[in-house]
């Protein structure tokens, strides 16, 4: 076209530039892989992230990473790579939460319609969590009701005592937050383990 118009045929010289390789972004997790525990003022207390075998728990400025050591044991480490907690599994029927000295803190037994939690091997004076009437979860001890909560199976939001939750759909895990005398971090770890196995 340039020759037909009588102009000079000029070639534009372009220096070769090495293509830039942008770091690939990680695949975003599904919404169901995030669980949020806030207080009533919507201030974050804990955030649970589940991605495959990796369990991550953010509590304030602290992060605990649950590292699966083998099929029946997970260890939780803090920001400084200090061993803080261990979870020992027995099939899908129970697990035990232990401290950094491997001392038992809580034993959790799981049945199809009930979760029992006790601070001893014999499961004496266990707390029982069970769903009633399709949308109500009760926390009992020795058949005496301690507390209860209602949930909407179609809603991603949930209010439990002084907690405001998001992501805990179709799970009994939030009832753990109602257990008296259990330390907050221990509650969050047990919640993490329960949602991880779909309970």
């Amino acid at each position: 076209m340039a020759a037909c118009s009588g102009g000079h045929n000029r070639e534009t010289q372009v220096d070769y530039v090495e293509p830039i390789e942008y770091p690939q972004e990680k695949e975003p997790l599904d919404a169901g892989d995030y669980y949020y525990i806030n207080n009533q003022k919507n201030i974050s207390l804990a955030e649970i992230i589940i991605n495959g075998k990796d369990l991550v728990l953010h509590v304030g400025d602290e992060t605990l990473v649950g590292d699966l050591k083998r099929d029946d044991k997970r260890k939780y480490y803090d920001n400084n790579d200090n061993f803080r907690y261990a979870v020992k599994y027995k099939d899908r029927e129970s697990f035990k939460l232990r401290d950094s000295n491997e001392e038992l803190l809580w034993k959790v037994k799981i049945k199809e319609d009930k979760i029992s939690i006790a601070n001893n091997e014999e499961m004496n004076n266990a707390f029982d969590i069970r769903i009633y009437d399709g949308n109500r979860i009760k926390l009992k001890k020795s058949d005496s009701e301690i507390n209860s909560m209602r949930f909407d199976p179609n809603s991603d939001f949930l209010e439990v005592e002084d907690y405001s939750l998001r992501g805990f759909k179709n799970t009994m895990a939030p009832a753990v937050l109602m257990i008296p005398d259990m330390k907050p971090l221990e509650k969050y770890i047990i919640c993490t383990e329960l949602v991880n196995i779909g309970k």
Side-chain angles (χ1 to χ4, degrees):
M1 296 284 288
C4 295
S5 62
H8 297 287
N9 189 9
R10 292 177 296 177
E11 290 185 2
T12 304
Q13 183 174 352
V14 178
D15 293 332
Y16 177 74
V17 178
E18 190 73 29
I20 300 172
E21 291 188 10
Y22 294 98
Q24 295 211 355
E25 293 183 5
K26 291 184 179 179
E27 286 291 324
L29 297 177
D30 293 334
D33 291 324
Y34 287 83
Y35 303 84
Y36 302 94
I37 303 174
N38 297 346
N39 63 18
Q40 289 293 338
K41 295 181 179 179
N42 212 31
I43 296 173
S44 177
L45 300 176
E47 178 185 348
I48 299 167
I49 304 171
I50 297 177
N51 187 10
K53 293 184 178 180
D54 298 328
L55 306 184
V56 180
L57 179 59
H58 297 294
V59 182
D61 295 331
E62 185 175 27
T63 297
L64 291 180
V65 177
D67 186 8
L68 193 64
K69 294 299 184 182
R70 51 181 196 259
D71 287 345
D72 66 341
K73 191 168 188 177
R74 185 186 306 278
K75 287 189 172 183
Y76 283 85
Y77 298 89
D78 64 17
N79 308 49
N80 298 313
D81 208 28
N82 296 316
F83 168 48
R84 296 283 304 279
Y85 295 94
V87 174
K88 184 75 164 30
Y89 308 99
K90 183 178 180 182
D91 300 322
R92 291 178 66 87
E93 298 174 356
S94 69
F95 64 84
K96 298 173 185 178
L97 176 62
R98 299 180 180 274
D99 63 17
S100 57
N101 296 315
E102 298 281 356
E103 295 292 329
L104 178 67
L105 295 170
W106 299 96
K107 183 176 179 179
V108 181
K109 292 191 73 172
I110 301 165
K111 294 185 179 180
E112 187 173 339
D113 63 343
K114 183 173 74 170
I115 297 172
S116 297
I117 303 174
N119 60 2
N120 57 83
E121 290 280 3
E122 297 76 22
M123 298 299 292
N124 294 328
N125 298 313
F127 295 97
D128 292 323
I129 298 169
R130 183 174 282 174
I131 295 180
Y132 293 82
D133 305 324
N135 65 346
R136 189 176 182 188
I137 299 176
K138 291 184 180 181
L139 175 68
K140 290 186 172 183
K141 189 173 185 180
S142 302
D143 291 328
S144 296
E145 184 175 332
I146 295 175
N147 211 334
S148 67
M149 51 174 273
R150 290 192 177 275
F151 67 95
D152 181 351
N154 299 313
S155 176
D156 202 40
F157 297 90
L158 182 64
E159 301 291 327
V160 181
E161 289 190 335
D162 297 329
Y163 301 96
S164 179
L165 312 181
R166 183 156 56 97
F168 291 87
K169 191 182 286 188
N170 298 319
T171 171
M172 291 188 280
V176 174
L177 301 172
M178 301 189 295
I179 295 178
D181 304 324
M182 182 184 284
K183 294 180 180 178
L185 192 51
E186 295 167 9
K187 292 181 180 182
Y188 305 151
I189 292 175
I190 292 176
C191 281
T192 301
E193 293 291 338
L194 288 174
V195 294
N196 185 49
I197 60 177
K199 289 294 182 179

